[in-house]
Amino acid sequence: MIKKFIRKILGVKSSSEVTTAKSNRHPVALGPKEHGINPQLVSANAIRITQTLQENGFKAFVVGGAVRDLLTGVKPKDFDIATNATPEQVKRLFRRAFIIGRRFQIVHVMFGQDLLEVTTFRGPSSEGAQKDEHGRVLRDNTFGEQHEDAARRDFTINAMYYDPATQTVLDYHGGIKDIRQKTLRIIGLPEARYREDPVRMLRVVRFAAKLQFTIDEATRAPIAVMAPLINNVPAARVFDEMLKLLTSGHAMACLQQLRKEGLHHGLMPLLDVVLEQPMGEKFVTLALSNTDERIQQGKRVSPSFLFAALLWHQVLEKWEAYKAAGEFPIPALHLAADDVLNKQTDSLAIQRKIGSDMRDIWAMQPRFEKRIGKTPYKMLEHQRLRAGYDFLLLRCASGEIDTAIGEWWTAFIEGDGAQREQLINQKSKPASTGEGVSGSVIKKRKPRRRAPRKAAAAQE
Ligand code: ATP
Ligand code: MG
């Protein structure tokens, strides 16, 4: 249905008639003066790999995002290598090399903690490949020539090969020109390339936002119409791509661009929630700009923290509803967390471990508001204190709860024994209760140990 509809709108030919991407056999070769890559930015381990492969008679290049980043003067975060050696041949040349992947085998080569991906040139795909009913390529394992490998890559700026030995860049699809003109252009027929792999639509948006490039009109135009094809992509893959998007250091810009291209709507409930939730907008904006800042400073961000933040206001809403229905605060929070996680898992496949970390971060929140007795000391020992505390600070900064709670915790975490005791004593005085405006106010509740756990029991 969708396929037919899209064809009708775009006037696209059936998949047997279209050639996806034309293979340019002869690349433009650029020397160091022309491309201007700073060899200092090239990873020593990438050079080790290309050199070893070349010494053994194979072709080997740094490829993809790393070349793109090198050409824009950015230090690449990882290096991928492309070669004409088969995975078996690559594996034999390195001590710590592992063949992974079933659909298409690649080799992970490790030096200490550094992991590099070595991929054998892929051959032409589309025509013979197994596809789903919407034209998405399911399986294709063919190895091929370098020019065929180039034609299968997504964007012109991602289809360049750099040989560290000769310092030459091979450009098959006009990537250099597009880099200079700051243009994102898909290789081949946009409609066909999106149909083969709808995730490319998310990738366009990520790269446009991250690199601050303009999307070429022919590359951009089909997206609004073809966006629903993302629904057919396995949820785990969408999750991976979303995670890349959110940890690109430009998450806010990416989400805005997704919205602009009409890609957020109905595709992923998560994005609907994030972008159309006025109450949580400030919270989400703060969370994402925090994340962007951390990434830009080279710090790590935890996916669980990120997704916990994105979904927090949905949890809050459901938490309120469960409490209003008579549930006690803590079980109500767990029920709300279950609801939100279950709904997301259907479409976005949040991994189990990430889901359980998110739940921890949420479950800590009401406990931060209980600043008397032994609870704060127990919290200090909590494995995820840092994440929970950072989350609490976000809640303060967004105006959801009183900033005094965050300040109290900062003082408590940083304080020595005597200072901590003093902080607890302060809180134990009746006048100081009730700062929280989040509605959890568990302090005011009577002891509830033996209270009936209706909903929790029903859930078991
Ligand atoms: P990043 O800096 O975010 O890692 P990247 O371009 O390296 O960007 P990867 O996902 O690491 O992105 O992919 C490596 C390369 O593999 C890309 O540069 C591109 O050439 C190719 N590639 C990745 N995904 C696709 C896809 N869906 N379709 C076609 N080619 C792809
Ligand atoms: Mg990469």
Side-chain angles (χ1 to χ4, degrees):
M1 266 296 282
I2 290 175
K3 193 172 163 186
K4 226 172 165 182
F5 171 68
I6 290 167
R7 281 220 193 94
K8 200 168 146 201
I9 297 221
L10 297 170
V12 175
K13 293 172 187 157
S14 81
S15 56
S16 57
E17 293 166 82
V18 287
T19 46
T20 49
K22 203 169 92 235
S23 283
N24 288 352
R25 274 174 183 276
H26 304 291
V28 174
L30 295 106
K33 286 219 178 71
E34 292 155 296
H35 59 64
I37 286 180
N38 174 2
Q40 307 258 319
L41 294 179
V42 184
S43 126
N45 289 331
I47 297 174
R48 261 162 97 172
I49 296 181
T50 49
Q51 203 173 355
T52 306
L53 284 161
Q54 289 168 357
E55 280 166 7
N56 283 275
F58 299 109
K59 285 187 181 182
F61 300 88
V62 171
V63 71
V67 184
R68 180 195 69 221
D69 290 347
L70 287 168
L71 286 167
T72 46
V74 174
K75 190 174 168 52
K77 64 176 166 42
D78 47 37
F79 283 81
D80 296 328
I81 312 291
T83 179
N84 61 349
T86 64
E88 286 296 336
Q89 288 170 326
V90 174
K91 186 175 152 60
R92 263 179 251 138
L93 293 175
F94 300 95
R95 203 164 57 82
R96 293 175 63 216
F98 312 93
I99 297 183
I100 60 147
R102 262 187 303 160
R103 191 182 134 185
F104 188 86
Q105 290 191 327
I106 58 174
V107 187
H108 277 175
V109 179
M110 306 217 38
F111 298 104
Q113 289 295 303
D114 198 13
L115 185 154
L116 294 96
E117 254 179 41
V118 183
T119 313
T120 306
F121 294 145
R122 294 201 194 184
S125 65
S126 204
E127 305 306 308
Q130 190 187 342
K131 296 182 191 153
D132 73 3
E133 74 268 32
H134 305 287
R136 188 170 67 85
V137 173
L138 296 174
R139 214 175 298 284
D140 61 307
N141 297 324
T142 45
F143 297 140
E145 300 291 324
Q146 186 170 358
H147 68 92
E148 293 166 334
D149 184 84
R152 296 194 35 157
R153 294 184 178 269
D154 46 8
F155 307 106
T156 58
I157 59 167
N158 284 347
M160 288 180 277
Y161 300 76
Y162 176 64
D163 177 0
T166 58
Q167 293 191 33
T168 310
V169 168
L170 298 182
D171 176 11
Y172 282 84
H173 293 276
I176 287 275
K177 187 166 140 261
D178 283 340
I179 287 233
R180 293 195 176 136
Q181 295 180 350
K182 294 183 179 290
T183 301
L184 258 173
R185 189 189 316 276
I186 202 160
I187 297 170
L189 278 178
E191 299 81 5
R193 302 302 312 280
Y194 295 140
R195 196 175 318 115
E196 282 174 355
D197 182 6
V199 162
R200 289 173 186 148
M201 293 187 272
L202 296 177
R203 292 175 61 85
V204 180
V205 165
R206 172 159 67 90
F207 291 127
K210 180 177 153 176
L211 304 168
Q212 294 176 338
F213 275 29
T214 310
I215 307 173
D216 162 65
E217 188 49 30
T219 299
R220 199 189 63 80
I223 295 179
V225 187
M226 299 186 82
L229 288 179
I230 294 193
N231 288 323
N232 308 317
V233 177
R237 188 141 182 257
V238 178
F239 178 84
D240 285 349
E241 197 53 42
M242 279 305 297
L243 194 56
K244 280 193 182 179
L245 197 143
L246 293 168
T247 55
S248 64
H250 304 268
M252 231 14 241
C254 283
L255 292 191
Q256 279 154 1
Q257 183 99 29
L258 277 178
R259 186 179 219 169
K260 197 170 133 206
E261 303 304 337
L263 263 170
H264 74 293
H265 214 94
L267 294 174
M268 287 159 276
L270 177 74
L271 285 186
D272 283 352
V273 172
V274 174
L275 299 176
E276 270 148 38
Q277 171 198 48
M279 207 189 41
E281 204 181 320
K282 181 145 185 234
F283 185 83
V284 165
T285 308
L286 273 173
L288 292 182
S289 51
N290 247 350
T291 307
D292 286 349
E293 221 170 277
R294 284 185 67 89
I295 304 258
Q296 282 162 16
Q297 291 165 357
K299 293 187 192 159
R300 234 180 56 83
V301 299
S302 98
S304 39
F305 185 89
L306 196 53
F307 283 103
L310 291 179
L311 294 172
W312 173 241
H313 274 260
Q314 219 184 16
V315 172
L316 269 186
E317 205 175 285
K318 290 190 190 277
W319 188 16
E320 285 306 321
Y322 276 114
K323 284 190 290 188
E327 193 49 81
F328 286 106
I330 303 295
L333 176 56
H334 284 281
L335 289 168
D338 284 344
D339 282 2
V340 170
L341 283 172
N342 289 341
K343 183 164 176 241
Q344 283 304 317
T345 307
D346 288 346
S347 51
L348 199 67
I350 290 178
Q351 295 147 20
R352 201 176 293 246
K353 170 77 175 88
I354 294 181
S356 86
D357 288 350
M358 288 164 70
R359 195 187 291 274
D360 273 357
I361 292 172
W362 292 335
M364 287 169 90
Q365 299 310 309
R367 296 176 66 195
F368 279 121
E369 289 175 44
K370 197 174 170 198
R371 284 164 294 155
I372 50 170
K374 294 213 164 51
T375 308
Y377 290 102
K378 281 196 209 140
M379 290 293 277
L380 287 182
E381 287 158 25
H382 198 295
Q383 238 193 332
R384 300 193 54 80
L385 172 73
R386 190 75 222 180
Y389 163 72
D390 284 345
F391 201 88
L392 179 80
L393 294 186
L394 265 185
R395 295 174 64 210
C396 292
S398 71
E400 180 204 329
I401 54 171
D402 196 320
T403 48
I405 303 181
E407 285 158 12
W408 189 95
W409 272 98
T410 305
F412 190 74
I413 289 170
E414 288 170 1
D416 59 20
Q419 286 163 327
R420 284 177 180 168
E421 207 169 313
Q422 200 190 355
L423 284 160
I424 301 262
N425 287 339
Q426 249 177 36
K427 279 294 111 190
S428 305
K429 290 181 198 143
S432 57
T433 53
E435 277 163 349
V437 290
S438 68
S440 55
V441 284
I442 46 178
K443 295 189 278 282
K444 291 183 189 157
R445 291 256 184 202
K446 292 203 176 94
R448 56 183 190 282
R449 240 185 214 142
R450 289 174 191 281
R453 296 169 53 118
K454 261 182 313 169
Q459 186 215 353
E460 286 156 21

